Amino acid sequence: MVPDKLSLQQLGPTIGTSMMPQKLIDYLLADSKQAVDDFSENLVGKIDKQLEVTLDDESSEYFMACAKTMLKHSTRDTFKDVYISAAWHNIMTQEWEHNPIHWHGSCQLSSVGYLELPTSEDKGRIEFHPGGGYPNTPIHIDPVVGMFMMWPWHLQHSVAPIKGITGARRSFSINIKGTLV
């Protein structure tokens, strides 16, 4: 006996991933080395520098396409006026830098992309902490240069402390906001 239809339910929040084109990685990596406004002193975690991202039209278009796909497949809600509300680089160059468990409020989606990783064994993995009725076992994902991940704003996440860092861990984050229809 075979069912006519099988409904599948995910076991945790949706995390969208894509591999960015090299041109986009190069653009954002150069931007991370030119940005000057440092906001790291306002962070709870320990990050060497947190710098504003400058997005050109082509890179904005890429991230907005990811966001619209993510919103379409991860929520039953419909949004209009979807836009990038914040974007920043996170640069880690010192041992034991980390970012504790947190979430990004005042948006619908949060994200991270990886531009450069230290040559040391420890790369500062991202850890998702689902909670909220989902199994509370953290989901660990090792960063890969070019990987871009996006998830619902309420998904708690952290960056594990980096031990014995050699080189820099350059990532960026983008928050996406929209108006609920």
Side-chain angles (χ1 to χ4, degrees), residues 28 31-32 35 37 39-40 43 47 49-55 84-91 99 102-105 107 109-113 115 151 157 170-176:
L28 290 168
D31 183 63
S32 76
D37 292 330
F39 306 106
S40 60
L43 296 174
I47 295 178
K49 291 185 180 122
Q50 186 176 64
L51 308 168
E52 187 175 8
V53 170
T54 304
L55 296 173
I84 295 170
S85 60
W88 62 96
H89 292 288
N90 295 302
I91 301 168
N99 209 353
H102 65 284
W103 65 88
H104 302 197
C107 62
L109 297 172
S110 299
S111 65
V112 67
L115 305 172
W151 58 88
H157 55 285
R170 291 180 185 269
S171 64
F172 65 93
S173 294
I174 296 175
N175 286 347
I176 303 290

Side-chain angles (χ1 to χ4, degrees), residues 4 14 23 32 45 47 67 80 89 95-96 101 114 119 145-146 150 153 167 169-170:
D4 293 332
T14 301
K23 181 179 177 182
S32 76
I47 295 178
K80 65 177 184 175
H89 292 288
E95 189 169 40
W96 299 108
I101 297 174
Y114 299 100
T119 56
V145 170
M150 188 171 272
W153 71 271
R169 180 189 187 273
R170 291 180 185 269

Side-chain angles (χ1 to χ4, degrees), residues 98-151:
H98 68 283
N99 209 353
I101 297 174
H102 65 284
W103 65 88
H104 302 197
S106 300
C107 62
Q108 275 66 48
L109 297 172
S110 299
S111 65
V112 67
Y114 299 100
L115 305 172
E116 180 181 7
L117 295 171
T119 56
S120 49
E121 183 177 332
D122 194 352
K123 311 250 186 253
R125 72 176 180 231
I126 189 166
E127 300 176 346
F128 292 100
H129 308 270
Y134 296 114
N136 205 19
T137 303
I139 300 163
H140 307 280
I141 300 176
D142 290 321
V144 174
V145 170
M147 180 173 28
F148 178 69
M149 294 187 289
M150 188 171 272
W151 58 88

